[in-house]
Amino acid sequence: MIWDAVIQPFADFGFMRRALLGCVAISLGATPVGVFLMLRRMSLTGDAMAHAILPGAAVGYLVAGLSLGAMTIGGMIAGMAVALLSGFVTRATALREDASLAAFYLISLALGVLIVSTRGSNVDLMHVLFGTVLALDDAALILLCSLASLSVVTLALLFRPLVLECADPQLLRSVSGLSAVTHFVFLALVVISLVGSFQALGTLMAVGIMILPAAAARFWATGIGGLLIAAVAVAILASLSGLLLSYHYSLPSGPAIILVAGLAYGVSLVFGPAGGLVARALPRRHLEA
Amino acid sequence: MTAALTFRNLTLGYDRHPVVHHLEAEIVEGSLTAVVGPNGAGKSTLLKGVIGTLAPLEGRIALGGINRDDIAYLPQQSDIDRSFPISVRDLVAMGLWREIGPFGRLRPPHRDRVAAAVSAVGLTGFEDRPIGALSGGQMQRVLFARLLLQEARLVLLDEPFTAIDARTMADLLGVVRRWHGEGRTVLAVLHDFETVRAHFPETLMLARELVAHGPTAEVLTAENQFRARTMAEAPDPDADVCERGAA
């Protein structure tokens, strides 16, 4: 029974194994970045950046067809350009980060849709927007896993400055010159995570596997280490269940994975011990001191 | 008597309107100085100039042999995200940044010093609390513990005792006295003249321009306080370009 439902699909079909590997890599590489996005109150920034990489991917597609490498490099260039430009505008002018980022990502998104719709077919647009996790080839998997590894190593190196930049940016600015570096490397990580994920989940769904597990983890853990572990665990479980649901019920896999992550968020919201609705509604008796 | 800080014809401000105007003063190394003056007198602005977040409109600030990273600064309103999931111990340990940097390990002697700093501000037992669960006074104690670990030669405190109860203030003043005893230079923005008279040997009175600077008893006179109060606070949109000291 469990064999049939859970193991069989992966045992029988290579594409399911590949999809699972890809999703686990995304969970390990991109989800921790999502935790930091949430902690820095930049959850929506992830969404903005996801739109920003579209024209790059589209240009890559125009130049080289449905080539993974070209679309990835294009997406990365577009994402970095938007991140750097908005970061520069924030630091050099009176405009705040949210407004400058919104301005650039909207320009970028409009450009992307224009390029895709004039030159490509609607099917291509759907590929870029919603991903094809069940059709990952070797090159895509190697790229995905490399980007995930890069992201994990960078996060490990950047961990202390990043925590300080989140908790007390003023102190980081006063004790070291790493504040700006940390900020831009972190934005680069966001772009890398999105570019790595969009092949599998699409540009729009890629943010889902970053933010939803992070938001769910907030109801289970109170420390930063616990948050990271809980978020990655939620992301991997959502990937596994989403893939199985999509296999058994012939659902599109990207949205299935994200919806399971959304379900995990909903359950956490209600039953999570760290500030969930039930925990709030049924408080235990207070202590003496 | 070497100067830890020298202000030369220093003008600081925002949008060309001066907030600190042509300030000439020297802060002696190892001195304990209160910076007083009415609201809008330029006290916080002066500290921002010293740590370098605000570039002078004119003149300069000379740091007498002190590196930028040898300055510890307690802002009036900290940027700390109180909802960030970090414990008291970890936030205090950030004061060791200059020693351990972004990658260094927190070794047992470091841990002992963190514990000692937490105990010095009377927060033993709070180490594992998340900072979101602290009161305003407790948070201020945490920040002082972190300043202790920074072991900076120049300590800048911007209204450190505002909204702090008497006992906490006494404890934190103990920390300030300890810095003074160790020969560190301390510059603190304060409003309560009683505190200044009792604990701060030197006072710098500011009302955009320098009113007086010297031993506290000579600075906090009724006449000086009256002069400080009569300062015009609002920036004048039609003000002419200041030619003083432009020669």
Side-chain angles (χ1 to χ4, degrees), chain B residues 59-74:
Chain B
R60 59 193 207 94
I61 300 170
L63 298 169
I66 296 177
N67 282 325
R68 280 243 173 269
D69 63 357
D70 232 345
I71 306 175
Y73 170 57
L74 179 71

Side-chain angles (χ1 to χ4, degrees), chain B residues 27-83:
Chain B
I27 306 293
V28 174
E29 171 121 49
S31 63
L32 175 54
T33 309
V35 180
V36 300
N39 288 137
K43 308 181 294 296
S44 301
T45 303
L46 182 63
L47 297 196
K48 282 183 201 162
V50 174
I51 57 160
T53 53
L54 192 66
L57 297 177
E58 197 179 340
R60 59 193 207 94
I61 300 170
L63 298 169
I66 296 177
N67 282 325
R68 280 243 173 269
D69 63 357
D70 232 345
I71 306 175
Y73 170 57
L74 179 71
Q76 188 175 1
Q77 274 170 342
S78 73
D79 279 355
I80 293 182
D81 177 0
R82 294 280 294 271
S83 68

Side-chain angles (χ1 to χ4, degrees), chain A residues 48-192:
Chain A
M49 294 302 292
H51 290 83
I53 63 181
L54 187 61
V59 169
Y61 169 77
L62 279 189
V63 172
L66 207 55
S67 138
L68 176 61
M71 286 169 67
T72 301
I73 291 169
M76 218 174 294
I77 291 173
M80 296 292 182
V82 168
L84 285 173
L85 277 174
S86 70
F88 168 76
V89 168
T90 309
R91 275 158 203 263
T93 72
L95 208 58
R96 299 287 290 261
E97 172 117 45
D98 58 337
S100 60
L101 183 62
F104 283 114
Y105 103 73
L106 288 167
I107 295 168
S108 192
L109 175 64
L111 199 61
V113 173
L114 193 83
I115 295 171
V116 174
S117 55
T118 48
R119 300 295 301 272
S121 68
N122 280 338
V123 179
D124 301 325
L125 183 62
M126 294 298 269
H127 267 303
V128 177
L129 289 181
F130 300 119
T132 47
V133 70
L134 296 180
L136 293 175
D137 57 12
D138 281 354
L141 269 185
I142 289 171
L143 183 84
L144 238 161
C145 293
S146 309
L147 290 178
S149 310
L150 180 67
S151 163
V152 169
V153 170
T154 313
L155 262 188
L157 284 174
L158 202 67
F159 191 74
R160 191 178 289 160
L162 194 56
V163 166
L164 194 49
E165 170 83 7
C166 298
D168 189 357
Q170 204 153 25
L171 181 74
L172 185 62
R173 276 198 297 275
S174 74
V175 293
S176 86
L178 283 177
S179 176
V181 177
T182 304
H183 184 70
F184 283 118
V185 173
F186 178 68
L187 284 180
L189 272 184
V190 174
V191 174
I192 285 173

Side-chain angles (χ1 to χ4, degrees), chain A residues 160 164 168 171-172 174-176, chain B residues 69-73 80 86-101 106 110 113-114 117-118 142-152 179:
Chain A
R160 191 178 289 160
L164 194 49
D168 189 357
L171 181 74
L172 185 62
S174 74
V175 293
S176 86
Chain B
D69 63 357
D70 232 345
I71 306 175
Y73 170 57
I80 293 182
I86 189 169
S87 66
V88 165
R89 181 186 291 111
D90 289 347
L91 190 68
V92 170
M94 299 282 195
L96 291 167
W97 181 281
R98 206 152 55 96
E99 288 168 57
I100 58 175
L106 210 56
H110 291 131
R113 278 168 59 204
V114 171
V118 169
V142 167
L143 295 180
F144 263 79
R146 196 172 70 180
L147 288 172
L148 269 173
L149 286 180
Q150 285 186 260
E151 308 218 320
W179 281 325

Side-chain angles (χ1 to χ4, degrees), chain A residues 12 26-27 39 41 53 68 85 94 100 116 120-121 124 136 144 180 184 190 195 205 207 209 241 243 250 263 278:
Chain A
D12 284 356
I26 291 170
S27 303
L39 288 176
R41 299 166 198 228
I53 63 181
L68 176 61
L85 277 174
S100 60
V116 174
S121 68
D124 301 325
L136 293 175
L144 238 161
F184 283 118
V190 174
V195 169
M205 298 289 167
V207 200
I209 202 73
S241 339
L243 282 174
S250 311
L263 189 68
V278 170

Side-chain angles (χ1 to χ4, degrees), chain A residues 23 25-39 42-50 53 151 155 186-198 201-218 227-228 230-232 234-236 238-239 257-258 261:
Chain A
C23 288
I26 291 170
S27 303
L28 288 171
T31 307
V33 176
V35 171
F36 279 99
L37 274 176
M38 175 188 70
L39 288 176
M42 289 166 64
S43 300
L44 293 175
T45 301
D47 203 33
M49 294 302 292
I53 63 181
S151 163
L155 262 188
F186 178 68
L187 284 180
L189 272 184
V190 174
V191 174
I192 285 173
S193 302
L194 288 169
V195 169
S197 320
F198 92 77
L201 298 170
T203 53
L204 296 185
M205 298 289 167
V207 200
I209 202 73
M210 296 171 73
I211 298 298
L212 281 170
R218 196 72 155 126
L227 275 176
L228 290 170
V232 169
V234 169
I236 291 177
S239 304
I257 291 169
I258 303 305

